[in-house]
C-alpha cells in the first residue's frame, strides 16, 4: 500500500495500524526518515516536496510489487509526505513484514533506495541563505545499483 500525504505523518500510529493488519508474520521492519535541521547551506527552515501524483504513486506501487515478487513479504506500506515540511518532521515511513527478518530488512532497504533515487519527487531545501534543489547523491545511486546487480531472492527456511 502506498500513499502521498499533505498532512503530518505519524510513524507510531502508522506502525501500530500496520502491525494490526499483518497477521502471522515473524518480522516487521520499519524506517522513518525526517527532515534534517542543518545542511551545507546552514539551518534548514523547511523542505518543499512536489510530486506528480499519478506517476509518483504508480512508480511507488510498481516498486512495492517488485519487492513482493523478490522477497516473501506478507505486507508492506509506504507513506510519503509532499508539500512544506519542517525540520525534524517525518517525511517518509516504510514498513515491511515477512516470516523472517532478512526478507523484511532487504525489502525495506530496497524500497528506500527506490524512493531516494527513482521516485518522482522534486525536493527544494529552504534555508535562511537561500533555496537549493536536492538531487540524489552518488552514494544513493550506488545503493540502488546493489539491487540491479542481485538476481537472487531471499529464501528463508529457518
Amino acid at each position: 500500500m502506498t500513499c502521498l500525504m499533505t498532512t503530518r505523518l505519524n510513524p507510531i500510529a502508522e506502525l501500530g495500524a500496520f502491525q494490526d493488519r499483518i497477521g502471522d508474520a515473524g518480522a516487521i521492519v520499519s524506517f522513518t526518515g525526517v527532515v534534517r535541521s542543518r545542511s551545507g547551506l546552514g539551518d534548514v527552515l523547511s523542505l518543499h516536496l512536489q510530486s506528480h501524483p499519478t506517476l509518483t504513486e504508480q512508480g511507488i506501487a510498481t516498486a512495492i510489487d517488485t519487492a513482493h515478487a523478490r522477497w516473501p513479504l506478507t505486507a508492506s506500506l509506504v507513506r510519503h509526505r509532499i508539500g512544506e515540511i519542517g525540520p525534524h518532521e517525518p517525511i517518509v515511513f516504510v514498513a515491511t513484514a515477512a516470516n523472517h527478518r532478512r526478507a523484511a530488512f532487504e525489502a525495506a532497504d530496497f524500497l528506500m533506495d527506490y524512493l531516494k533515487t527513482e521516485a518522482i519527487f522534486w525536493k527544494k531545501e529552504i534555508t535562511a541563505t537561500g533555496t537549493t534543489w536536492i538531487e540524489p547523491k552518488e552514494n544513493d545511486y550506488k545503493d540502488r545499483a546493489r539491487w540491479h546487480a542481485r538476481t537472487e531472492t531471499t529464501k528463508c527456511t529457518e
Side-chain angles (χ1 to χ4, degrees), residues 27-45:
I28 299 170
V29 169
S30 68
F31 173 83
T32 301
V34 298
V35 175
R36 293 182 194 107
S37 62
R38 298 219 15 101
S39 75
L41 296 176
D43 291 339
V44 173
L45 302 175

Side-chain angles (χ1 to χ4, degrees), residues 14-56:
E14 295 289 351
L15 181 59
F18 183 75
Q19 252 182 302
D20 288 346
R21 73 174 181 83
I22 61 156
D24 200 27
I28 299 170
V29 169
S30 68
F31 173 83
T32 301
V34 298
V35 175
R36 293 182 194 107
S37 62
R38 298 219 15 101
S39 75
L41 296 176
D43 291 339
V44 173
L45 302 175
S46 66
L47 187 66
H48 184 78
L49 260 86
Q50 295 174 297
S51 69
H52 184 290
T54 303
L55 294 178
T56 304

Side-chain angles (χ1 to χ4, degrees), residues 57-109:
E57 289 251 3
Q58 286 174 349
I60 295 170
T62 298
I64 290 169
D65 290 346
T66 301
H68 279 264
R70 195 164 181 168
W71 291 279
L73 299 177
T74 58
S76 62
L77 176 67
V78 173
R79 298 277 194 250
H80 208 297
R81 284 284 309 273
I82 55 174
E84 204 77 23
I85 309 159
H88 308 292
E89 285 187 46
I91 189 172
V92 63
F93 177 80
V94 170
T96 56
N99 288 332
H100 302 282
R101 66 183 165 82
R102 183 72 52 218
F105 271 112
E106 289 184 0
D109 198 19

